[in-house]
PDB file of all heavy atoms in Angstrom:
ATOM      1  N   LEU J 876     112.716  69.653  64.198  1.00 92.00           N
ATOM      2  CA  LEU J 876     111.992  69.108  65.330  1.00 92.00           C
ATOM      3  C   LEU J 876     111.640  70.177  66.319  1.00 92.00           C
ATOM      4  O   LEU J 876     112.311  71.206  66.413  1.00 92.00           O
ATOM      5  CB  LEU J 876     112.952  68.121  66.077  1.00 92.00           C
ATOM      6  CG  LEU J 876     113.375  66.850  65.316  1.00 92.00           C
ATOM      7  CD1 LEU J 876     114.422  66.069  66.143  1.00 92.00           C
ATOM      8  CD2 LEU J 876     112.205  65.920  65.046  1.00 92.00           C
ATOM      9  N   LEU J 912     116.951  81.840  72.885  1.00 94.00           N
ATOM     10  CA  LEU J 912     118.190  81.511  73.573  1.00 94.00           C
ATOM     11  C   LEU J 912     118.095  81.918  75.082  1.00 94.00           C
ATOM     12  O   LEU J 912     117.770  83.096  75.342  1.00 94.00           O
ATOM     13  CB  LEU J 912     119.368  82.270  72.925  1.00 94.00           C
ATOM     14  CG  LEU J 912     120.780  81.836  73.255  1.00 94.00           C
ATOM     15  CD1 LEU J 912     120.989  80.383  72.835  1.00 94.00           C
ATOM     16  CD2 LEU J 912     121.776  82.717  72.508  1.00 94.00           C
ATOM     17  N   VAL J 989     126.317  72.569  68.560  1.00 93.00           N
ATOM     18  CA  VAL J 989     125.980  73.476  67.487  1.00 93.00           C
ATOM     19  C   VAL J 989     126.932  73.457  66.341  1.00 93.00           C
ATOM     20  O   VAL J 989     128.157  73.586  66.520  1.00 93.00           O
ATOM     21  CB  VAL J 989     125.892  74.940  68.031  1.00 93.00           C
ATOM     22  CG1 VAL J 989     125.575  75.913  66.896  1.00 93.00           C
ATOM     23  CG2 VAL J 989     124.821  75.046  69.113  1.00 93.00           C
ATOM     24  N   SER J1003     106.443  82.332  64.707  1.00 85.00           N
ATOM     25  CA  SER J1003     105.104  81.806  64.568  1.00 85.00           C
ATOM     26  C   SER J1003     104.972  80.773  63.479  1.00 85.00           C
ATOM     27  O   SER J1003     104.120  79.915  63.523  1.00 85.00           O
ATOM     28  CB  SER J1003     104.122  82.959  64.353  1.00 85.00           C
ATOM     29  OG  SER J1003     104.463  83.687  63.134  1.00 85.00           O
TER      30      SER J1003
END
Side-chain angles (χ1 to χ4, degrees):
L876 296 173
L912 194 61
V989 177
S1003 59

